[in-house]
């Protein structure tokens, strides 16, 4: 569970970069090495490694080293926590807008309108 | 619909700041003026205005000026788009992990185990 303010800061910051989102897209299809993650991106391996570190620090990605290869995978629990933060607030707003809509509809239905 | 890369950059960047998330929390309870949004935060009005501008540029917040008061409200459609980006990738990973779990369970169920 990600309820700490700093954790959410790191997760949303990690998601805010288009290159990191390309990496997450790739990992949603299955685990990948750091160099595989860099393939579609026009950047140095050093830059790729830095992005992977941001993703790991956020908890969105986990990695394991076997020999000389580091394999990364997505952590669905962290993704779910970020989703939940947004959806709880969105649901509150939508409920209020629904109640307002019902109220306006009831007002319109009054006789002789 | 927020499918543009730059739009998602702006939305996740807007969500990555704890002060802006406090503002979004407040707006999930109903519309508020810029000065109301700043009340729980230890920052100048100029800083509050800047955060509100980041939220508006991301599409998470809309505002309307009436007289000297600018009233802000949450835009649930933008929140939903950000949620959807995360949930689509999370669902892919969870499905793959479920299939792997089923496979391992079936392997364990083999006779004489």
């Amino acid at each position: 569970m990600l309820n700490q303010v700093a954790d959410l800061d790191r997760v949303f910051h990690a998601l805010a970069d288009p290159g990191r989102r390309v990496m997450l897209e790739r990992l949603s299809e299955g685990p990948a090495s750091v160099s595989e993650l860099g393939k579609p991106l026009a950047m140095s391996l050093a830059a790729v490694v830095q992005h992977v570190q941001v993703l790991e620090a956020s908890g969105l990605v986990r990695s394991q080293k076997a020999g000389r290869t580091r394999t990364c995978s997505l952590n669905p629990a962290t993704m779910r926590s970020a989703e939940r933060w947004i959806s709880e607030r969105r649901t509150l707003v939508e409920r209020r807008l629904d109640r307002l809509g019902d109220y306006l509809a009831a007002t319109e239905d009054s006789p002789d309108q």
Side-chain angles (χ1 to χ4, degrees), chain A:
Chain A
M1 290 293 294
L2 269 190
N3 286 314
Q4 301 300 322
V5 166
D7 289 348
L8 280 170
D9 286 6
R10 276 194 285 269
V11 172
F12 288 127
H13 170 70
L15 287 166
D17 181 87
R20 288 196 290 268
R21 288 201 307 279
V22 168
M23 293 176 173
L24 294 172
E25 296 253 18
R26 168 61 191 82
L27 292 175
S28 72
E29 294 162 13
S33 69
V34 173
S35 62
E36 277 179 89
L37 287 181
K39 256 180 210 158
L41 299 166
M43 56 174 80
S44 67
L45 184 61
V48 173
V49 168
Q50 246 178 349
H51 281 304
V52 169
Q53 282 168 350
V54 171
L55 289 169
E56 279 205 78
S58 75
L60 287 166
V61 165
R62 288 182 286 211
S63 78
Q64 269 191 310
K65 199 160 183 174
R68 295 179 62 186
T69 306
R70 180 169 291 280
T71 303
C72 301
S73 57
L74 263 191
N75 179 3
T78 304
M79 303 190 85
R80 195 184 278 275
S81 298
E83 260 174 84
R84 193 178 298 132
W85 192 92
I86 306 174
S87 72
E88 284 173 358
R89 275 97 207 146
R90 176 184 55 77
T91 310
L92 283 174
V93 179
E94 285 179 343
R95 272 195 212 133
R96 212 180 43 256
L97 291 176
D98 284 349
R99 282 198 302 271
L100 181 64
D102 290 347
Y103 171 77
L104 293 176
T107 313
E108 262 183 18
D109 284 347
S110 65
D112 305 319
Q113 267 287 6

